[in-house]
């Protein structure tokens, strides 16, 4: 797509989102009416953030993006984009051999269900290796051990296919991935599928901690260059971690790649923490939004955290006015999303060991 075409696309999206936001403002915070809309925000909350918006605009009047959000320009074959990097102290647990809890799960062997597992355990078969002496299951058990020993990608795929996407053993098996080879992903977009991504957040672990790479679009015309930079970061990965990324972030990324005629992103084992959080805590919390899980289980308190439904409007206000104030909380929101993912992964792994 040529530069002039990109500018035209940017202008069309700006006009469309400004004219028709993807949410409804509910007068008097009426709970009943809130439930009638897929995306609704109470009038008092909307007014609260309206005041915050005005304060930000006053604070950042005349300040360039590069001063308000320190970063560096990145140039590649698809153009220029803006990269913001921050490092947070953080470590992730890992091991390189199949865990005993996984080796004890007989249902990983094809043909063995809950009833069959109970029967086999009563007869003394406690681990998959014990099935080597069982005429019916010995070859299937050998195949399962072969898959488990092939590495965490094969093990997590087997667990997902045999036990489901939210089984705690998937978390335990994921400890086999080298932490430095895991990427943590979160996007900020202009709304539903088919609209541009305005911020690509990628977290990478190293001995120094978690480096949070944020490719922030100063204008929508920078999206192709940002996509190319993201592809390079994902290229050296062995696994992807997200929160609802299996349904949203990853398909969205591939859709944007297709829009520009890029090849699909590399296929990686995907650890979507939303599935595990729902299974673990859905009875304990009112919803499983990341901010709710953070507050309840990670002790993370977000101050003036911008609701996702307001992100497209605030980004377009930044583009209309040239005032980077509305962009600042979008970047902070995304940074915290990325920072919470390894913390949540560590916690969910610990909880998985308690129940397996």
């Amino acid at each position: 797509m040529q530069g002039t075409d990109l500018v035209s696309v940017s202008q069309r999206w700006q006009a469309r989102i400004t004219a028709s936001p993807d949410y409804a403002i509910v007068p008097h915070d009426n709970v009943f009416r809130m439930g009638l809309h897929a995306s609704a925000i109470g009038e008092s909350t909307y007014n609260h953030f309206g005041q915050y918006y005005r304060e930000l605009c006053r604070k950042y009047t005349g300040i360039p993006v590069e001063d308000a959000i320190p970063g560096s320009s990145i140039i590649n074959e698809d153009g220029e984009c803006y990269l913001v990097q921050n490092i947070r102290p953080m470590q992730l647990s890992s091991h390189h051999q199949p865990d005993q809890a996984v080796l004890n799960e007989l249902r990983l062997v094809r043909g063995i269900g809950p009833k069959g597992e109970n029967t086999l355990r009563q007869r003394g078969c406690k681990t998959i290796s014990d099935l080597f002496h069982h005429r019916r299951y010995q070859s299937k058990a050998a195949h399962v051990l072969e898959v488990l020993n092939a590495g965490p990608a094969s093990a997590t795929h087997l667990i997902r296919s045999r036990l489901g996407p939210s089984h705690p053993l998937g978390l335990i098996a994921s400890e086999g991935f080298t932490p430095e080879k895991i990427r943590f992903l979160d996007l900020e977009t202009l709304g539903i599928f088919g609209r541009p991504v305005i911020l690509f957040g990628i977290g990478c672990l190293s001995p120094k901690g978690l480096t949070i790479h944020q490719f922030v679009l100063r204008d929508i015309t920078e999206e192709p260059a940002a996509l190319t930079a993201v592809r390079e970061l994902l290229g050296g990965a062995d696994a992807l971690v997200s929160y609802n990324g299996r349904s949203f972030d990853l398909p969205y990324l591939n859709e944007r790649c297709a829009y520009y005629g890029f090849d699909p992103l590399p296929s990686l084992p995907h650890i979507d923490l939303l599935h595990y959080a729902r299974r673990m805590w859905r009875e304990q919390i009112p919803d499983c939004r990341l901010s709710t899980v953070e507050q309840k289980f990670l002790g993370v308190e977000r101050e003036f955290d911008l609701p996702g439904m307001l992100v497209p409007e605030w980004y377009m206000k930044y583009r209309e006015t040239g005032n980077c104030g509305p962009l600042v909380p979008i970047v902070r929101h995304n940074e915290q999303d990325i920072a919470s993912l390894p913390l949540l992964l560590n916690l969910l792994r610990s909880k998985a060991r308690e129940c397996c």
Side-chain angles (χ1 to χ4, degrees):
M1 187 174 289
Q2 300 299 315
T4 53
D5 294 332
L6 285 171
V7 172
S8 176
V9 168
S10 174
Q11 293 169 343
R12 289 201 303 271
W13 277 120
Q14 186 167 324
R16 186 182 305 182
I17 290 171
T18 301
S20 180
D22 290 332
Y23 61 87
I25 303 170
V26 178
H28 313 299
D29 299 346
N30 185 284
V31 176
F32 173 75
R33 293 184 66 180
M34 293 273 281
L36 298 178
H37 301 277
S39 295
I41 184 169
E43 184 179 23
S44 65
T45 301
Y46 183 80
N47 291 337
H48 171 74
F49 278 98
Q51 176 63 30
Y52 182 41
Y53 166 78
R54 290 186 288 275
E55 291 173 4
L56 286 169
C57 287
R58 284 194 295 269
K59 179 178 179 180
Y60 289 98
T61 296
I63 299 177
V65 172
E66 293 78 5
D67 290 341
I69 311 168
S72 57
S73 291
I74 301 296
I75 299 175
N76 55 38
E77 64 268 30
D78 291 296
E80 182 178 354
C81 62
Y82 191 63
L83 172 62
V84 177
Q85 289 181 297
N86 289 287
I87 299 178
R88 296 202 183 188
M90 205 167 294
Q91 290 185 331
L92 204 61
S93 59
S94 66
H95 63 77
H96 301 291
Q97 297 298 324
D99 190 270
Q100 192 58 49
V102 177
L103 297 174
N104 291 345
E105 182 50 74
L106 303 185
R107 288 177 297 165
L108 292 177
V109 177
R110 186 171 296 278
I112 299 178
K115 280 189 176 180
E117 181 185 37
N118 288 336
T119 301
L120 288 165
R121 291 194 183 283
Q122 290 171 6
R123 294 174 180 174
C125 293
K126 306 297 183 183
T127 71
I128 294 172
S129 297
D130 293 337
L131 295 175
F132 286 178
H133 306 293
H134 194 289
R135 184 178 301 176
R136 180 177 177 182
Y137 296 116
Q138 56 185 223
S139 61
K140 295 177 181 178
H143 173 70
V144 168
L145 283 185
E146 200 174 298
V147 171
L148 295 178
N149 283 311
S154 301
T156 53
H157 177 75
L158 175 65
I159 291 166
R160 178 180 173 83
S161 61
R162 292 289 297 145
L163 304 178
S166 65
H167 196 281
L169 281 182
L171 290 166
I172 294 174
S174 75
E175 291 185 350
F177 290 111
T178 302
E180 289 78 11
K181 292 287 189 176
I182 297 175
R183 299 292 180 265
F184 300 88
L185 170 70
D186 186 70
L187 306 178
E188 305 301 330
T189 74
L190 287 184
I192 56 177
F193 285 92
R195 296 182 176 186
V197 178
I198 57 171
L199 200 166
F200 303 78
I202 306 287
C204 304
L205 285 161
S206 72
K208 294 181 179 179
L210 178 71
T211 301
I212 301 173
H213 307 260
Q214 293 177 285
F215 298 93
V216 183
L217 269 60
R218 294 166 295 187
D219 185 77
I220 292 170
T221 56
E222 296 183 345
E223 189 182 22
L227 275 168
T228 296
V230 167
R231 291 168 63 86
E232 291 175 1
L233 268 180
L234 295 180
D238 287 343
L240 193 65
V241 175
S242 70
Y243 200 84
N244 196 35
R246 188 178 290 276
S247 299
F248 183 77
D249 299 77
L250 190 58
Y252 209 118
L253 269 181
N254 277 319
E255 183 185 68
R256 298 312 296 166
C257 286
Y259 178 80
Y260 293 107
F262 296 163
D263 292 334
L265 293 166
S267 180
L268 297 171
H270 194 155
I271 307 164
D272 191 332
L273 299 182
L274 173 62
H275 299 294
Y276 298 105
R278 278 178 175 162
R279 179 170 181 147
M280 197 78 67
W281 296 313
R282 61 188 167 193
E283 304 298 329
Q284 302 178 44
I285 50 180
D287 60 71
C288 284
R289 290 179 298 176
L290 181 57
S291 58
T292 304
V293 171
E294 284 175 345
Q295 185 177 22
K296 178 70 175 178
F297 303 107
L298 297 178
V300 174
E301 293 285 347
R302 299 197 188 204
E303 184 178 5
F304 288 109
D305 186 53
L306 187 67
M309 67 183 73
L310 295 181
V311 165
E313 181 181 343
W314 281 42
Y315 180 81
M316 284 310 179
K317 284 179 177 178
Y318 147 70
R319 291 298 308 135
E320 289 168 11
T321 64
N323 187 310
C324 66
L327 186 60
V328 172
I330 297 174
V331 175
R332 288 175 180 167
H333 170 92
N334 179 263
E335 181 184 349
Q336 184 57 58
D337 281 352
I338 295 292
S340 290
L341 290 178
L343 294 175
L344 184 56
L345 178 57
N346 268 335
L347 177 60
L348 284 168
R349 282 173 171 176
S350 175
K351 294 293 182 182
R353 291 194 170 279
E354 292 175 8
C355 63
C356 288

